[in-house]
Amino acid sequence: MSHPCPKCGLEGKRVPEETVRALASRQVEAEALYGLCLNPSCDVVYYTPEGACLFKSDVKVKVWFKEPGDPDCPVCYCSSLTRRQIRSAVSHGARTIEEVRQLTGTLRTGACRTENPTGACCHRALEQEIASISAAYPSP
């Protein structure tokens, strides 16, 4: 993405218009280029090069990296897998995505493009979340 967030000035990540349209709680510009603000402390979620912004309050879901302390925030959106569920699975010995999914009973649906705010698979974010939580629990 070659355009920074109009509020915080940091470079963002390009996201499909389809993602923004699916997750916005208000009308969005047709055929616009959208960026995802990657700054956890910025209230902007999506923006256009022209400076139009969608804030956290304009999006139907919580954005996991913008809500780091919220245990009920999803990390995997297509299976509604939350930090609380991940923490519980890790506390019971899960250390991989497959183990977390098995203990929580969550399955992937593959609707990442329209359910995950990044418009992409949550695999990497889920791995990072498991690793972060695992650091607090010694291996058996």
Side-chain angles (χ1 to χ4, degrees):
M1 180 107 211
S2 60
H3 301 282
C5 171
K7 184 173 180 191
C8 72
L10 294 180
E11 191 71 22
K13 174 187 182 257
R14 176 100 190 265
V15 292
E17 178 188 342
E18 175 185 10
T19 303
V20 178
R21 190 169 302 290
L23 297 178
S25 59
R26 63 181 176 89
Q27 184 88 16
V28 297
E29 294 180 38
E31 299 181 30
L33 296 176
Y34 284 95
L36 171 68
C37 178
L38 300 173
N39 181 350
S41 60
C42 183
D43 287 340
V44 172
V45 177
Y46 300 115
Y47 61 91
T48 66
E50 295 77 31
C53 295
L54 290 170
F55 296 89
K56 292 192 301 186
S57 61
D58 298 320
V59 179
K60 297 175 188 173
V61 297
K62 295 176 184 177
V63 180
W64 87 93
F65 63 88
K66 291 191 179 270
E67 307 290 344
D70 185 344
D72 296 315
C73 186
V75 176
C76 177
Y77 289 82
C78 53
S79 63
S80 299
L81 183 59
T82 66
R83 282 193 180 97
R84 184 181 310 277
Q85 292 170 300
I86 297 166
R87 183 172 301 284
S88 176
V90 168
S91 74
H92 287 93
R95 294 296 184 267
T96 66
I97 291 175
E98 293 74 25
E99 291 169 346
V100 167
R101 288 193 184 284
Q102 187 174 34
L103 281 173
T104 60
T106 57
L107 302 173
R108 291 180 279 221
T109 64
C112 304
R113 192 167 172 93
T114 56
E115 294 185 20
N116 185 331
T118 67
C121 180
C122 66
H123 193 86
R124 182 174 292 147
L126 191 49
E127 282 180 332
Q128 291 171 345
E129 193 72 27
I130 292 167
S132 173
I133 293 170
S134 293
Y137 292 93
S139 295

